[in-house]
Amino acid sequence: MRRKVIAGNWKMNMLPNEAISMITELTPLVKEANSEVVLCVPYTDLFYALLTAQGTNIKIGAQNMHYEESGAYTGEVSAKMLKSIGVEYVIIGHSERRQYFAETDETVNKKVKAAFANELSPIVCVGETLEQREAGKQYDVITEQTRKALDGLSDKQVANTIIAYEPIWAIGTGKTATSEDANEAIKKIREEIGKIYGQNIAQEVIIQYGGSMKPTNAKELLEMSDIDGGLIGGASLKAKDFANIVMCLQ
Ligand code: PGA
């Protein structure tokens, strides 16, 4: 059976002292969790978050990285750098990065490869806009994004990729996809992976839902057959809210 992975995405929030307080408060609340617990924090919080989470079941991730190992890329951080301080996860291709920072399916694919080359677990985001959904194109969009993100990976790497299905219209809006809609979209992503890499691999891939997941709707979403966890923005900033999501299935 696939494990569940509940990951927080703090986005551009939380100063180091806030990160330390949040993780200190969260630690006892999630220590019995059956799911994997991850917090993807800003670069400036990484070191503090890693120290505070040491010896706990909370894993730390970054929210982006460059695909080159080093070089003249002012302002960028590489997978090798993240790995060197103990980061384990990295979000790749979040819709905000695609929208505001010119992230493309091609750069997403390069970053996924660089993450694996440095033994980081990538959390790859895919999702349609409201316009695409209204035009009935949501499945085409997310299966294409998935296919391009995974292009050229080995079977083992595909099996170890975490995908986050995040409909863009549901991010930070308070609008959540219904659990049936989210499950259906995730099934389509799994089917697409199955067509290319085979059913066995497809059954191993962890596919999360993201977009206004909160304590009040998490259980219903996480109980669905194909939803293997959540990528949580707003509700990951408060220890109690995030803990309620992590612990909702226990
Ligand atoms: P949200 O963000 O939970 O605040 O909607 C989710 C995300 O962007 O990963």
Side-chain angles (χ1 to χ4, degrees):
M1 218 180 95
R2 293 184 297 270
R3 68 190 197 283
K4 297 236 192 264
V5 179
I6 312 291
N9 172 13
W10 284 357
K11 309 194 180 186
M12 198 170 72
N13 295 293
M14 306 288 257
L15 298 175
N17 61 324
E18 295 168 320
I20 293 167
S21 307
M22 189 283 186
I23 295 169
T24 305
E25 190 185 342
L26 182 69
T27 297
L29 304 177
V30 300
K31 73 172 196 298
E32 308 290 343
N34 295 329
S35 326
E36 210 156 292
V37 186
V38 183
L39 286 174
C40 296
V41 308
Y43 293 136
T44 43
D45 290 339
L46 280 173
F47 194 69
Y48 302 94
L50 284 159
L51 282 181
T52 314
Q54 222 166 44
T56 77
N57 58 336
I58 301 167
K59 308 210 162 133
I60 301 300
Q63 301 170 10
N64 179 39
M65 50 168 254
H66 198 276
Y67 49 81
E68 294 291 351
E69 277 207 349
S70 61
Y73 299 99
T74 302
E76 291 294 320
V77 170
S78 72
K80 192 175 182 183
M81 290 169 170
L82 295 174
K83 183 68 186 177
S84 73
I85 61 165
V87 170
E88 293 181 70
Y89 290 83
V90 58
I91 299 174
I92 293 177
H94 189 281
S95 61
E96 286 149 17
R97 296 221 55 93
R98 293 179 191 254
Q99 191 180 351
Y100 307 134
F101 302 99
E103 190 85 76
T104 64
D105 288 330
E106 195 196 352
T107 58
V108 167
N109 180 245
K110 285 185 178 174
K111 290 181 182 192
V112 173
K113 287 177 177 156
F116 278 120
N118 289 279
E119 294 171 358
L120 295 174
S121 299
I123 302 176
V124 180
C125 301
V126 301
E128 81 283 0
T129 62
L130 186 58
E131 209 179 16
Q132 290 164 334
R133 167 165 281 238
E134 283 171 349
K137 293 196 180 127
Q138 71 267 37
Y139 299 146
D140 293 342
V141 171
I142 59 179
T143 52
E144 183 178 338
Q145 286 174 337
T146 304
R147 215 171 39 242
K148 290 187 169 165
L150 302 178
D151 188 43
L153 297 187
S154 69
D155 286 1
K156 185 161 174 248
Q157 289 171 335
V158 172
N160 287 320
T161 303
I162 299 175
I163 295 178
Y165 167 59
E166 299 206 303
I168 294 169
W169 48 270
I171 295 178
T173 56
K175 286 186 202 139
T176 324
T178 64
S179 43
E180 287 78 16
D181 270 5
N183 200 50
E184 207 41 47
I186 288 177
K187 276 189 179 166
K188 294 276 191 254
I189 293 170
R190 203 179 300 288
E191 260 170 47
E192 185 70 16
I193 298 172
K195 276 188 223 157
I196 307 168
Y197 301 94
Q199 272 313 310
N200 290 347
I201 303 282
Q203 285 308 318
E204 280 187 55
V205 180
I206 292 182
I207 312 182
Q208 304 171 314
Y209 168 78
S212 301
M213 193 186 273
K214 39 191 182 261
T216 47
N217 61 22
K219 188 165 194 288
E220 195 190 324
L221 286 158
L222 294 171
E223 275 176 349
M224 300 304 288
S225 63
D226 279 64
I227 304 184
D228 307 322
L231 184 57
I232 295 127
S236 72
L237 296 172
K238 294 217 171 80
K240 283 202 181 74
D241 287 348
F242 189 59
N244 280 335
I245 297 175
V246 170
M247 303 303 286
C248 75
L249 289 184
Q250 289 177 266

